[in-house]
Amino acid sequence: MTMAKLFFSYSHKDEELRNELETHLSLLKRQGVISSWHDRRITAGSDIDKAIDAELESSQIVLLLVSAHFLASDYCFEKEMARALEKHNEGSATVIPVILHPCDWHSAPFGGLRATPTDGKAISMYANRHEALAIVAQDVREAATRAAAKEPSALEVPHPECFDAGSSSKPRSS
């Protein structure tokens, strides 16, 4: 099974909950089901926008960590979420809204997607937050399994650079 790359799109004001969710996703990482990335992994001296764009482009799963802070963030909403939904619509990524706190998210551009935890109930509304985070982890596991099933093996599909621009069936000569 191919490991799915997961991208966290979130407001820094929700970092504590993102950290808790990442802990709940540890088993998936340990089992080689996913690898995850968020902007706190950007190293000093790196171009922030380029690093985020590159990670978002290479991810098969995008978690939108939804709260009023997320909805208020121009960067989250206009950059990350907009591109994530484009990838979702073209079939190159699965976008999963993870509802952190109660907010008016149903009319957002991602409002038609099935959110997690169950029925889009906010994680912060659960009597036991760990129950909600475990549900999210199970939904991420399912999405990663689907992403791996869609991923053709490297042996089945030749790399596009192996072909002439005018031909889709003839290897390029060196």
Side-chain angles (χ1 to χ4, degrees):
M1 181 163 116
T2 308
M3 185 181 310
K5 285 188 71 178
L6 182 144
F7 180 94
F8 287 98
S9 178
Y10 71 104
S11 165
H12 287 171
K13 291 182 179 177
D14 296 317
E15 189 165 19
E16 182 183 323
L17 209 42
R18 191 222 59 230
N19 288 338
E20 277 192 68
L21 175 54
E22 202 163 17
T23 299
H24 277 265
L25 297 176
S26 309
L27 183 60
L28 296 173
K29 289 182 195 176
R30 206 177 285 282
Q31 293 172 334
V33 175
I34 64 165
S35 64
S36 67
W37 189 89
H38 51 77
D39 64 351
R40 293 295 192 201
R41 298 220 169 100
I42 299 172
T43 56
S46 297
D47 183 306
I48 294 168
D49 287 336
K50 285 182 183 173
I52 291 171
D53 289 347
E55 292 295 333
L56 181 55
E57 286 306 314
S58 66
S59 294
Q60 291 86 31
I61 300 171
V62 179
L63 298 185
L64 305 178
L65 304 189
V66 182
S67 68
H69 298 298
F70 176 87
L71 297 174
S73 167
D74 290 341
Y75 198 91
C76 290
F77 205 84
E78 294 169 13
K79 294 254 189 187
E80 294 176 354
M81 183 213 51
R83 180 59 189 133
L85 289 175
E86 287 173 6
K87 286 177 57 80
H88 183 86
N89 291 333
E90 66 192 28
S92 64
T94 299
V95 173
I96 303 173
V98 178
I99 312 305
L100 301 182
H101 300 290
C103 58
D104 183 21
W105 62 272
H106 293 281
S107 62
F110 55 84
L113 299 177
R114 183 173 113 20
T116 188
T118 309
D119 298 328
K121 179 181 176 182
I123 291 170
S124 64
M125 298 299 291
Y126 277 73
N128 182 341
R129 200 173 0 191
H130 295 284
E131 176 187 359
L133 292 166
I135 292 167
V136 174
Q138 291 166 356
D139 285 338
V140 169
R141 181 182 294 279
E142 287 177 23
T145 302
R146 282 193 318 272
K150 281 189 350 186
E151 190 79 19
S153 81
L155 297 174
E156 293 173 23
V157 180
H159 195 275
E161 293 176 2
C162 295
F163 296 106
D164 289 322
S167 167
S168 63
S169 60
K170 192 167 105 183
R172 182 178 62 200
S173 56
S174 300

